[in-house]
Every structure is written in C-alpha cells, then in structure tokens.
Amino acid sequence: MRPVTVRVPAKINLQLSVGVRRDDGYHDLATVFQAVSLYDDLTVTAARRLRVTITGDHAGGVPADETNLAVRAIVALAGRVGLNPDVHVHVRKGIPVAGGMAGGSADAAAALVACDALWGLRLDRTELMDVAAELGSDVPFALVGGTAIGLGRGERLMPALARGTYHWVFALAEEGLSTPAVYAELDRLRGRRPGANPAAPNVSEALMTALRAGDAAALGAALTNDLQPAAGSLRPQLRLTMEVGREYGALGAILCGSGPTCAFLVRDHEQALDLAVALSAAGVCRSVKRAHGPVHGARIVDD
Ligand code: C5P
C-alpha cells in the first residue's frame, strides 16, 4: 500500500446568515461557501497503529490525539467498512489554525479521500458525503469545493453558479476563536433584544446575481456574515482590522466563518499585493495571506 497524499482547500463564507438556535444546539444556516487557494496537505501511510503528526504554521495549536478531526474521520470510515484504522496521518498545515477557515474540517475531508484510496474502497461520493456530514457542518463542502450554497447546519449542499476568479487577502489574528463561543455570543447578543428573533435565513439574491455575473464589485457589496458582531464583541480588535481594509479600498470585507481571520475581496493581484503591505504596515494582524477562489475540493496529489 503506497502512501496517499490529498490536498484540501480552506473555505470562506461569502454569506453566513444564522437562524435561531435549534434544540440540538446547532443553528440553521443559509450560507454560500467558496473554496480558496490556501491548502493543507494530508498524507496517510499504512502503520502498526493510528497516529498523527502535524507540521506548519501554528501546528502546535492542532490536537495530535483522538480528538483531531482527521483521526475521527479515519476511525469513522474504518468502522463503516470493518477495517482497523491503522495509519500514520501526517498533516502539513497551510490553512490558518482556528481561523474560521475550516482547517480542521478540511483535514477530515482529506482523510476520508486519502483512506478511501489507501484501502482501495472506491466508495461513491454520496457515501463519503454522509460520513463527512456526521463529522462536522463544514466537512462536506471541503470534499466538493468550488462555490456552493449550504443549508441546514451547513452540511446540505447545492452547487452555486459562479463565474470568474476572485482575489482575496486574509488578515490572520494572533489567537484563534472558538466556534461554539462565537455562536453563543451571537445568542447572547440576540437575547438582549427580546422579540428580535431572526427570520428563517435565506440565500441573498444580490449575492447570487453577482456570482453569476462574475461581478467582483457587486459581490464585495453583497458579502454578509451574521457572526461578525459576535466575533467583534469577543475580539474588538477585529473591527479595526476590517476598517483598515475598507479604508484601503477593498471591494468588500468580511469575517471568515466564526473568525478571527478577516477576508478582503480585491480587484486583482496588484491590489492584493498593495493591501497585504498596508495591513502588515498597520500592525493590525499577525500575518497576511493572499489567495484566489474558487478552487476544487479535496483531491489526491499525484507523485
Ligand atoms: O459542526 P461543527 O462541529 O463544525 O460545529 C462546531 C460548533 O459550532 C457546534 O458545536 C455549534 O456550537 C456551532 N455551530 C452552530 N450552528 C451551525 C454550525 C456550528 O451552532 N450551523
């Protein structure tokens, strides 16, 4: 059994509309995902026992035990097909850790694709998607990539018609934010306004029209994330970071998922370079990364 390497992208949410908290603790969402060109590479090799190693930026912040989402994915897949999950999984992190860009979910998706190949399972897409949905709300999207609408808690996907390539600049924060903590803060802020229950979330027509037209300026104006006030309440510095990008003339600024990474949509490669310099010079973030989207989901890397 030869080792298998899978490359998997980060995601951003072009829209993240959050409904009320459900009885199971999750929130109903209407979201539009886009996969962007920041990648993790995950390699699985047959081994005597299941173990995980991690390298890359802030790899120390990723658990290297059975709570790691890639490990949970491997255990779930092995259990489903009656195999022992005895592999060495190595993750090279290129996706910001705890940044709201679904790096953990991406690793889970990559682990499913990698072990499917390593073990010669050839499961069909729907079966992998089922396992993915059980692991986390963002795992199915990491399998498909591109641009997609997510409903339910984000795991029910529909392809979105999107034209063109978009250029993004990301401001990475010093420290991560916990997704459950940000959702809880949203509930707390909403609770202070009794009777202000959010309507059932819907996908924005303006956003879908912008995507269909490949109109970056219109897309920038249509970006929305309901978690932004909650993340800003927990981490006021984020408001400043957003402000720097907006003042600089980004077409749009939005928090990535539950944050704390801030994403800026720019016109082209040139403006991306300039904004990256401006954000670094303003000292409002730990580091800056550039990427484009949409890109494809988890895929095997050929030697
Ligand atoms: O599905 P996942 O494990 O990624 O979700 C992490 C946490 O984020 C959940 O435990 C929940 O607190 C919050 N969440 C939510 N509603 C969603 C997705 C996530 O409340 N639709």
Side-chain angles (χ1 to χ4, degrees):
M1 283 195 281
R2 292 178 52 188
V4 178
T5 296
V6 171
R7 170 161 284 194
V8 65
K11 64 86 188 157
I12 54 176
N13 304 79
L14 307 175
Q15 176 189 352
L16 183 49
S17 294
V18 182
V20 287
R21 188 176 183 277
R22 313 190 308 205
D23 290 342
D24 64 2
Y26 283 93
H27 297 71
D28 272 323
L29 303 181
T31 189
V32 180
F33 294 107
Q34 181 162 96
V36 296
S37 62
L38 300 178
Y39 300 101
D40 281 358
D41 286 328
L42 178 144
T43 302
V44 290
T45 312
R48 265 209 289 275
R49 64 181 177 84
L50 177 56
R51 68 188 186 96
V52 60
T53 52
I54 303 145
T55 53
D57 254 11
H58 282 233
V62 182
D65 57 21
E66 71 287 349
T67 64
N68 183 293
L69 208 50
V71 170
R72 284 173 43 205
I74 292 166
V75 170
L77 186 65
R80 197 167 172 120
V81 298
L83 287 175
N84 288 322
D86 296 333
V87 297
H88 169 210
V89 43
H90 180 72
V91 185
R92 197 150 57 84
K93 296 297 300 178
I95 303 176
V97 173
M101 301 188 77
S105 302
D107 296 347
L112 293 179
V113 173
C115 286
D116 178 66
L118 185 78
W119 297 333
L121 303 175
R122 294 169 184 263
L123 295 183
D124 62 38
R125 269 277 140 153
T126 44
E127 210 165 338
L128 281 187
M129 293 289 272
D130 281 350
V131 187
E134 282 166 23
L135 291 162
S137 314
D138 294 332
V139 184
F141 177 71
L143 282 178
V144 298
T147 305
I149 295 169
L151 300 175
R153 58 186 171 85
E155 88 290 7
R156 272 176 29 221
L157 297 177
M158 288 185 297
L161 269 178
R163 188 172 284 148
T165 293
Y166 300 91
H167 299 270
W168 297 96
V169 176
F170 300 104
L172 276 53
E174 217 47 73
E175 247 183 90
L177 270 175
S178 136
T179 301
V182 177
Y183 274 98
E185 180 65 3
L186 174 72
D187 292 337
R188 193 185 71 80
L189 293 175
R190 283 177 170 173
R192 293 206 313 210
R193 291 183 292 130
N197 259 348
N202 270 316
V203 173
S204 148
E205 252 325 299
L207 190 120
M208 298 314 289
T209 306
L211 283 172
R212 275 196 300 272
D215 183 339
L219 180 66
L223 299 171
T224 54
N225 183 347
D226 283 355
L227 293 178
Q228 218 158 287
S233 160
L234 296 175
R235 193 69 65 74
Q237 154 86 23
L238 292 177
R239 300 196 180 116
L240 194 64
T241 312
M242 291 284 188
E243 209 39 55
V244 171
R246 281 199 203 96
E247 267 174 23
Y248 189 75
L251 300 175
I254 191 170
L255 185 76
C256 292
S258 57
T261 308
C262 298
F264 302 97
L265 179 62
V266 290
R267 273 191 317 273
D268 50 27
H269 184 68
E270 294 271 276
Q271 200 190 11
L273 284 172
D274 289 350
L275 177 55
V277 171
L279 285 164
S280 303
V284 289
C285 51
R286 166 167 65 86
S287 60
V288 181
K289 286 190 187 289
R290 288 175 287 118
H292 62 270
V295 296
H296 58 68
R299 273 201 196 164
I300 292 174
V301 177
D302 291 322
D303 294 337

